[in-house]
Amino acid sequence: MVAFPDETLNKVHAQMESDYKNVKFKKVGVDLGKNRDYFEIIKREATPLKPNLIFNNAGFIVTGVPLCLLCFLSPFLLKSLLFVCLFVCSQLFADNVIEANMANYECNAIAPVLITHHFANELLNSKRKGAIFFTSSPAGELVFIKEEVDRAID
């Protein structure tokens, strides 16, 4: 279990060990948004365990970034709506300190690529069966997007 090193990690780790007594859980506390040191720690701590299931579920939202991504990834949006959405988004995005935006990018984009690449190669090279999953729990926070766009065009 790799997660931010706080009391939540300790509680979840204890709960998982209690619920699944026949499964071994190792707790690795790292900040996936701070610097790339996390990757060496993860490799050192987790690789010897030979995990065959990887769940990329770490992430957080910085206001503004999801709106920008939605606009760029939604080609069906009208150009005028895209312009309004980008305008609203740029205002929210610009309000964040750059360090918060870069931590968001590192945690949500870079870390999953590094982790997946490493463990996919471990699985392939050892010829072990396994699976790698990507989830986006914070995506549930994106409900506000339609309301924001509606307000912007009214």
Side-chain angles (χ1 to χ4, degrees):
M1 297 179 66
V2 176
F4 189 80
D6 64 5
E7 191 54 35
T8 301
L9 173 58
N10 296 332
K11 287 179 183 176
V12 171
H13 182 260
Q15 186 66 49
M16 295 295 279
E17 284 187 322
S18 173
D19 290 349
Y20 303 97
K21 293 184 186 342
N22 60 336
V23 178
K24 180 180 178 181
F25 291 95
K26 181 171 180 114
K27 178 174 51 171
V28 180
V30 293
D31 184 344
L32 297 176
K34 198 157 194 169
N35 58 48
R36 297 265 167 85
D37 292 348
Y38 67 81
F39 184 55
E40 292 306 317
I41 295 168
I42 292 169
K43 288 194 309 186
R44 181 183 69 234
E45 298 294 324
T47 303
L49 301 174
K50 300 182 180 187
N52 62 338
L53 297 175
I54 308 296
F55 293 87
N56 286 297
N57 189 43
F60 67 95
I61 291 179
V62 175
T63 307
V65 175
L67 278 171
C68 286
L69 292 176
L70 178 68
C71 290
F72 285 117
L73 298 176
S74 300
F76 60 87
L77 292 175
L78 300 173
K79 288 183 181 181
S80 60
L81 180 57
L82 180 62
F83 173 78
V84 171
C85 186
L86 287 173
F87 175 74
V88 170
C89 184
S90 67
Q91 297 303 305
L92 297 172
F93 184 79
D95 290 339
N96 297 321
V97 295
I98 191 65
E99 292 80 9
N101 292 323
M102 294 310 296
N104 176 264
Y105 181 70
E106 182 75 30
C107 182
N108 294 335
I110 302 296
V113 170
L114 291 172
I115 292 165
T116 299
H117 186 267
H118 173 72
F119 286 104
N121 278 294
E122 288 289 317
L123 287 170
L124 292 169
N125 292 337
S126 68
K127 302 199 183 327
R128 288 181 288 131
K129 292 182 180 179
I132 299 174
F133 302 90
F134 292 88
T135 59
S136 182
S137 299
E141 302 290 327
L142 298 180
V143 175
F144 71 90
I145 290 176
K146 181 181 182 319
E147 296 166 2
E148 292 296 326
V149 171
D150 288 346
R151 273 193 292 242
I153 59 176
D154 280 342

